[in-house]
Amino acid sequence: MSTQQLTEAVSLKRDYFHLIINGEKVESSNGQTIKTYNPATGELVAEVAKASKEDTEKAVQAARQAFDHGKWRKYPINRRSQVLNKIAAIMRSRFNEIVELEILDTGKSLAAAQGQVTQAIEDFEFYAAAIVGHRGVVNNMPGQFHNFTEKEPVGVCAQIIPWNYPLMMAAWKIAPAIAVGCSVVVKPASLTPLTAIILGEICLEAGVPAGVVNIVPGSGSEVGNYLVEHPNVNKVAFTGSTPIGKDIMAKASETLKRVTLELGGKSPNLVFEDADIDAAVDGSLFGIFYNSGQSCEARSRLYVHEDIYDEFVTKFVEKTKKLVLANPFDKGTHVGAIIDQGQVDVIDGYVKSAIEEGAEILAGGKPAIVEGFEGGFWYEPTVIANVDHNMTVVKEEIFGPVVVIMKFKDEKEAIMLANDTEFGLGSAIWSKDGARATRVAKQIEAGIVMVNCPFSAFPGTPFGGYKQSGFGRELCIETLDLYTETKSIISYFGSRPLNPLGV
């Protein structure tokens, strides 16, 4: 699909994007804007109204008013479900335009953007169905008592979105929250706010009442902190780095907000001696280089059994060198751009530290120059060997197309190495032995284990981490519980009045 084909329909791209507060497109109160750039070219894409504290306060009050006095939470479940399905239908009808805007804003490849927009659509369809079955229960009680529970929306939710999956993460958070009747204030990342704003506009078009979905792009230090500390915000859902997650948790504790955190990762990828090597090579390439390695569950620590290490590494490096960095709109592009120059510098700093510590670069190892896209931000897919677990590149999240590769001798050592990290988000196992795969999966300290496949998330599958990768699960039915309170109602139906004190 070419850029021309993508833009044949009415494009969603425009030069200026507004805040969305209380159902209206509004300017920032102080007139400030954010400029967003295409990472593949370095060129300006658009200007976006930059929310201030005053704007954020208006958004919180709009969300509070909509929740406390509006109709959305009182709608019958089937009516909210219909609206979520309409959101999905509008997104599907504008699929190409949304993909185009996501690529321009993030620099990711066409295939990656198409997959992520598709999942964002499916998230709304999934929760439109899931909410129908989300209900309380009747519990057994002694004697002449009756107890049942109800699920009630938690209230106003602040949702803070990362830059690596701007539309998909917005859908992961907005869909379950509004499905149960909550109101939301969404803060997209300043680097990539465009598709989240479009999603907010689509929500209004689909029939979500004013104030239920508010979009306020702005700085984390101002808008993000204000939301986290605000007494009228009942819950915070955050996806991003572990240090910021810790700060949010501390600030939210002052008002005892509910918190969901999906944080950093340094996910292990275990290839056993009985694995289908070609499948493991292809899956491992996807696991680290998909989305240019800018994924919290990127499988950036690759462990290969010593008996097949040489064969695997040879094939893996050969294919790494064949990966295409080119126009993100071209179907043949495998790896897109890095989000900005600052992240390129971070990635390159990690690679240089590995070289200084004695590691060996088997592929890549430096910023890339892509013909026709010299003004953009690119990094070569990089494979690093001859490392140990004390090296910085093994211990810390790099957030780029960089993988470290190491040997292991047996199952026990593989498990020990996999768990030797402060993170616990994703993991992968490659083995034809089903018993071994199950045995190892049960011992890995991570929220997600992928067996003989590279995919970590589908609507309906829980996504979240152990340890310092956070807590709470998104993308699944259980997510609805994170946006609801469980109310227990006990009633007495006996024929005689109760007099427990015997007075």
Side-chain angles (χ1 to χ4, degrees), residues 28-45:
S28 170
S29 59
N30 58 18
Q32 292 187 2
T33 62
I34 301 167
K35 292 183 177 180
T36 67
Y37 297 88
N38 181 349
T41 64
E43 296 172 350
L44 180 69
V45 176

Side-chain angles (χ1 to χ4, degrees), residues 441-457:
K442 289 177 71 68
Q443 295 179 75
I444 290 181
E445 298 166 351
I448 306 149
V449 183
M450 294 154 269
V451 178
N452 295 327
C453 83
F455 305 120
S456 61

Side-chain angles (χ1 to χ4, degrees), residues 16-131:
Y16 189 83
F17 289 74
H18 293 83
L19 312 176
I20 299 177
I21 299 175
N22 202 27
E24 297 181 351
K25 298 179 184 178
V26 299
E27 298 285 354
S28 170
S29 59
N30 58 18
Q32 292 187 2
T33 62
I34 301 167
K35 292 183 177 180
T36 67
Y37 297 88
N38 181 349
T41 64
E43 296 172 350
L44 180 69
V45 176
E47 286 193 66
V48 180
K50 182 180 181 181
S52 64
K53 286 184 180 179
E54 181 181 343
D55 300 316
T56 309
E57 177 64 27
K58 291 178 182 177
V60 172
Q61 294 305 323
R64 186 82 262 166
Q65 179 72 16
F67 183 78
D68 290 343
H69 306 292
K71 298 178 179 180
W72 180 248
R73 65 181 292 198
K74 300 174 185 177
Y75 279 179
I77 287 176
N78 67 314
R79 186 171 177 185
R80 289 203 302 269
S81 179
Q82 290 169 357
V83 173
L84 264 69
N85 274 321
K86 188 171 182 180
I87 293 169
I90 295 171
M91 293 173 72
R92 201 176 293 280
S93 72
R94 299 177 182 174
F95 181 82
N96 284 347
E97 303 98 280
I98 296 173
V99 167
E100 176 197 21
L101 195 60
E102 190 79 331
I103 293 172
L104 291 172
D105 208 23
T106 66
K108 64 182 65 203
S109 69
L110 174 63
Q114 288 176 326
Q116 291 159 32
V117 173
T118 297
Q119 190 183 112
I121 294 168
E122 292 174 350
D123 291 339
F124 283 94
E125 294 170 336
F126 171 78
Y127 284 109
I131 189 60

